[in-house]
Amino acid sequence: MSNSRAAAVLTTPDLTEALRAIRTLLDIADLHHAEVDFEAVIHSPEVLARIHHVLPDLEWWASAGKEHGSSEAGDDPAACLPVRVNDWCNPLDVAEPFIAALGPSPAAIRWDLNAWPEVPEAGLEYISQKYAYLTLALNSRDIYQDEPSNDHTVYVHVPSEDHTAHIEWLADRVGGRYTGRLEISPL
């Protein structure tokens, strides 16, 4: 198992701005075999129903622990709210419908990229799929949904703190800036 470093490059209360930044970064990334993963905490039956419409085979468990309900046990998620949900290896076109279904729920949407391509004119090396990710912390200040907020943070992932130039270059592309805030992201 490896760890990437998730670097916050844009925090905004405007979801449209956050999605614009994500689209810009996806346009830069190598998307060959890319996929998207979801993690969220759902508190309301309405949001749960919308999420199930987008991802009908969603894996979930009660926030209080699996012993209080889970998809694995065949329990009714609406009876176990709040629930944590995970769904992995989705096609990229599922991301925005998932985001639209979430409403105010905290979530992390992670795009697993093939690479951050090299940018020779900026002196940036190729970053392989092992470390090339992009995360949107929705209604949360962190990638783990531990700091709920009314804004959204875009993170670019790199192998280590030594890739500051790459982080700053990507931040510049979206009108953000790297503040030095890094989170270790187990992959």
Side-chain angles (χ1 to χ4, degrees):
M1 179 180 267
S2 302
N3 293 323
S4 70
R5 301 303 185 270
V9 296
L10 179 72
T11 298
T12 177
D14 183 352
L15 180 56
T16 301
E17 181 182 5
L19 290 173
R20 178 200 50 78
I22 293 292
R23 289 184 201 113
T24 298
L25 293 167
L26 289 172
D27 286 344
I28 293 167
D30 177 347
L31 299 180
H32 187 68
H33 297 297
E35 55 194 25
V36 65
D37 305 328
F38 307 109
E39 296 179 22
V41 180
I42 308 300
H43 293 273
S44 81
E46 297 80 21
V47 170
L48 182 63
R50 292 193 308 258
I51 296 295
H52 263 289
H53 179 74
V54 174
L55 299 168
D57 298 322
L58 189 66
E59 186 177 311
W60 65 271
W61 61 92
S63 289
K66 284 188 176 182
E67 65 277 7
H68 297 279
S70 71
S71 53
E72 192 175 274
D75 297 315
D76 174 9
C80 301
L81 293 172
V83 297
R84 288 194 161 270
V85 299
N86 275 345
D87 206 73
W88 307 96
C89 306
N90 290 283
L92 299 183
D93 63 354
V94 177
E96 291 199 32
F98 179 81
I99 292 166
L102 281 167
S105 299
I109 298 88
R110 187 181 78 197
W111 288 263
D112 302 352
L113 311 171
N114 189 54
W116 289 118
E118 69 178 330
V119 184
E121 63 275 14
L124 302 178
E125 298 175 355
Y126 174 92
I127 295 178
S128 74
Q129 169 272 335
K130 185 174 181 180
Y131 300 105
Y133 298 90
L134 175 61
T135 298
L136 173 60
L138 190 67
N139 302 308
S140 177
R141 282 284 172 96
D142 69 317
I143 61 176
Y144 302 106
Q145 304 93 57
D146 292 330
E147 295 180 54
S149 71
N150 292 325
D151 52 24
H152 321 289
T153 301
V154 174
Y155 291 85
V156 297
H157 295 241
V158 295
S160 71
E161 297 86 357
D162 297 338
H163 290 80
T164 302
H166 218 124
I167 296 166
E168 290 172 345
W169 186 86
L170 290 166
D172 285 346
R173 306 286 74 77
V174 299
R177 69 180 186 84
Y178 175 49
T179 62
R181 191 167 108 207
L182 279 174
E183 293 184 40
I184 293 177
S185 178
L187 305 172

